[in-house]
Amino acid sequence: MRSYEAMFILRPSLDEEAVKANVEKFKGIIENNGGEIENVDLWGKRRLAYPISKVNEGYYVLVNFKGNSELPKELTRNFKISDDVIRDMVVKIEN
């Protein structure tokens, strides 16, 4: 299993429960596809470096996990189809 880091930014219009529901949804995707979550770090609402679709803020979430090589592709696919995710990035961590 390889180590990965996923960061995604959720829309600022979401309430606290919707943010937690989205985090749980993506954690479930990782776990249901044979992954193992190491750490979830909610950074909270922060200002974006530049506007994205006229949005200046977002909820930042960082997830460290282990999984097979297909898991990041599936996670990215789910980020792309979610209306609540503004930006996402999944990177492999070299050990």
Side-chain angles (χ1 to χ4, degrees):
M1 291 177 61
R2 297 179 178 157
S3 295
Y4 296 96
E5 184 175 84
M7 168 157 278
F8 55 98
I9 305 171
L10 298 170
R11 295 196 174 282
S13 59
L14 299 175
D15 61 355
E16 202 64 35
E17 289 183 22
V19 171
K20 288 181 182 179
N22 274 296
V23 171
E24 289 300 318
K25 177 176 84 170
F26 294 123
K27 281 173 53 177
I29 291 169
I30 293 169
E31 291 169 346
N32 292 336
N33 287 296
E36 164 182 322
I37 295 176
E38 296 177 335
N39 185 33
V40 177
D41 196 6
L42 297 168
W43 289 7
K45 189 186 271 189
R46 296 188 175 220
R47 186 161 177 77
L48 302 176
Y50 55 90
I52 300 170
S53 301
K54 298 182 182 177
V55 175
N56 293 319
E57 292 183 323
Y59 287 100
Y60 282 70
V61 181
L62 178 69
V63 180
N64 294 325
F65 64 96
K66 288 186 177 184
N68 60 23
S69 61
E70 294 299 314
L71 184 53
K73 294 174 190 170
E74 178 65 19
L75 192 58
T76 300
R77 184 184 75 78
N78 281 280
F79 285 146
K80 297 294 182 205
I81 62 175
S82 174
D83 291 333
D84 294 333
V85 177
I86 301 173
R87 281 284 189 268
D88 65 275
M89 180 186 295
V90 180
V91 295
K92 185 173 107 175
I93 299 174
E94 297 294 331
N95 292 338

